[in-house]
Amino acid sequence: MSAGKDAANDPMSNDDPHELSWRRLSSEIVADCRIFRVRRDVSVSPHRGSDHDFFVLESPDWINIIPLTANDEVVMIEQYRHGSEEVTLEIPGGMVDAGESPQAAAAREMLEETGYAATREVVSLGKVRPNPAIHDNWIHTFLARDVRLRQKPVIESTEHTVVRLVPLADIPRLIADGTINHALVVVGFYWLTLHRSGHAPVV
């Protein structure tokens, strides 16, 4: 088979990312929901020239942190989630405040939600887009090793958490059986797997 024919059969050979980009004509904020804002964009199709409405959730960056004790236990939390109407098992997480670094936010959220603090450097594992179809932000995942209990968790008016110590060796089973079903928590443990196998994140 000739090289030309190979190229013709390769669906990626003629792709130009710039030909996929839509051109935004206008934007407006249509709702402010405290933890995110809803933005309405009118954008033009690069293929047909027609314009369409799109809705984007504007939000600060988020963080997740995997706190590990000296005994290789993950400090996790159970809390009620209103979207799924169920109690979930998660790692600590939250939003990055204005003027705060993701690393500082991770350490703060861990202490507030679990009462545990890092005794060593909080290490960045990587970041991903939560849902690029509708979100504009990143979620950063961190690792804290040899954490120790320093205080009682901070219980806010709408957020009540129960702390659970889960052996790290049990995490794959808990993901497989659906006990851990939060997608971004699963991503966090995947980042940890990459970290332990020597794959550093691309910065």
Side-chain angles (χ1 to χ4, degrees):
M1 184 177 290
S2 67
K5 193 170 183 181
D6 284 341
N9 291 330
D10 182 358
M12 300 298 289
S13 62
N14 297 318
D15 283 355
D16 180 355
H18 297 289
E19 294 180 356
L20 299 175
S21 298
W22 291 58
R23 179 168 55 89
R24 190 165 63 192
L25 296 177
S26 64
S27 291
E28 63 173 333
I29 300 300
V30 296
D32 190 333
C33 304
R34 190 174 63 85
I35 60 173
F36 63 86
R37 301 194 307 174
V38 182
R39 188 183 80 223
R40 174 179 173 266
D41 291 345
V42 179
S43 298
V44 177
S45 167
H47 304 291
R48 298 182 179 179
S50 54
D51 56 83
H52 299 269
D53 290 352
F54 296 92
F55 292 88
V56 177
L57 302 183
E58 293 185 347
S59 174
D61 280 2
W62 302 333
I63 60 86
N64 267 341
I65 183 166
I66 300 175
L68 285 180
T69 69
N71 295 325
D72 241 13
E73 294 172 310
V74 185
V75 183
M76 304 191 71
I77 55 174
E78 287 183 330
Q79 62 182 315
Y80 182 80
R81 290 300 193 183
H82 293 271
S84 59
E85 297 184 323
E86 63 182 0
V87 175
T88 63
L89 181 64
E90 306 176 13
I91 51 180
M95 294 191 304
V96 180
D97 290 342
E100 186 179 36
S101 71
Q103 184 181 44
R108 173 182 56 77
E109 289 285 356
M110 176 176 62
L111 183 63
E112 289 176 357
E113 294 188 353
T114 70
Y116 281 77
T119 61
R120 300 167 62 181
E121 180 186 7
V122 173
V123 177
S124 174
L125 296 180
K127 65 179 184 179
V128 294
R129 295 285 190 186
N131 184 349
I134 59 172
H135 289 93
D136 68 345
N137 63 337
W138 294 91
I139 181 164
H140 307 257
T141 300
F142 293 87
L143 170 66
R145 289 168 291 191
D146 298 335
V147 298
R148 295 180 184 176
L149 184 62
R150 297 297 191 197
Q151 64 180 46
K152 291 184 178 180
V154 177
I155 304 300
E156 298 182 347
S157 59
T158 61
E159 185 177 54
H160 180 81
T161 60
V162 176
V163 177
R164 305 293 188 200
L165 296 182
V166 180
L168 182 59
D170 290 351
I171 296 300
R173 174 181 60 80
L174 295 174
I175 293 173
D177 69 16
T179 301
I180 298 173
N181 61 16
H182 191 314
L184 298 178
V185 174
V186 176
V187 167
F189 285 116
Y190 183 68
W191 275 122
L192 179 60
T193 299
L194 291 178
H195 175 77
R196 292 196 157 191
S197 63
H199 292 83
V202 177
V203 179

